[in-house]
Amino acid sequence: MESNPNNNMTQQTEEIINHEQFEDMRDLLEEDFADLIQVYLIDSKKRVATLRTAQQENDHANGYETAHALKGASANLGTTQLVKLSSQLQECCRERRIGEQAALIEDIAAALECAEQEINLRLEQ
């Protein structure tokens, strides 16, 4: 049990980005990959802002659509934490519970920051 927090930390780090998916996309897009990354990060940050607004306004439809778009874009790059969290938020919107999801949206924002850091490290390699 003592090593459990370390195992969780390792598991969490591994789950930020699926290496194979990320590298497959990099190989597929070659020189256009860096542009895709920039568009993804800019769009994802805008989507997080939209999710915050949707949560504050109790706008289930906009929250659902935005979470769905973020999930799809994240799946393309293999940013697994964002896929998982966006999927959870999408389900909450379907259940008409976006108003209660401020913490989940902040988890999405934090996961995006982690993904951006991990992506930048991978691009430097």
Side-chain angles (χ1 to χ4, degrees):
M1 284 290 176
E2 292 175 20
S3 65
N4 195 22
N6 292 337
N7 288 343
N8 288 344
M9 182 70 85
T10 301
Q11 183 180 7
Q12 190 175 25
T13 301
E14 290 172 3
E15 292 177 351
I16 293 171
I17 297 177
N18 178 287
H19 178 75
E20 185 177 340
Q21 177 72 27
F22 186 85
E23 293 304 324
D24 285 350
M25 187 61 73
R26 188 193 311 226
D27 291 345
L28 179 68
L29 295 178
E30 298 174 349
E31 67 273 356
D32 294 331
F33 187 68
D35 291 338
L36 170 78
I37 293 296
Q38 291 310 309
V39 169
Y40 168 75
L41 292 173
I42 290 166
D43 286 352
S44 295
K45 289 173 185 178
K46 288 178 184 174
R47 288 178 175 138
V48 168
T50 300
L51 289 172
R52 287 179 174 134
T53 301
Q55 185 271 326
Q56 292 167 355
E57 296 175 356
N58 213 30
D59 186 346
H60 306 289
N62 196 25
Y64 181 90
E65 289 174 21
T66 304
H68 181 75
L70 181 59
K71 181 177 80 171
S74 298
N76 286 336
L77 281 179
T79 52
T80 53
Q81 278 186 331
L82 280 163
V83 171
K84 178 182 162 195
L85 293 170
S86 297
S87 182
Q88 288 174 7
L89 183 59
Q90 203 176 345
E91 186 60 31
C92 291
C93 291
R94 187 178 293 126
E95 296 170 355
R96 305 188 59 75
R97 295 186 301 118
I98 192 171
E100 306 163 13
Q101 303 309 315
L104 178 54
I105 292 168
E106 293 313 308
D107 288 347
I108 290 170
L112 179 57
E113 287 181 29
C114 289
E116 182 174 16
Q117 291 172 1
E118 181 70 19
I119 287 167
N120 288 333
L121 286 173
R122 289 171 185 248
L123 292 178
E124 292 172 4
Q125 295 176 353

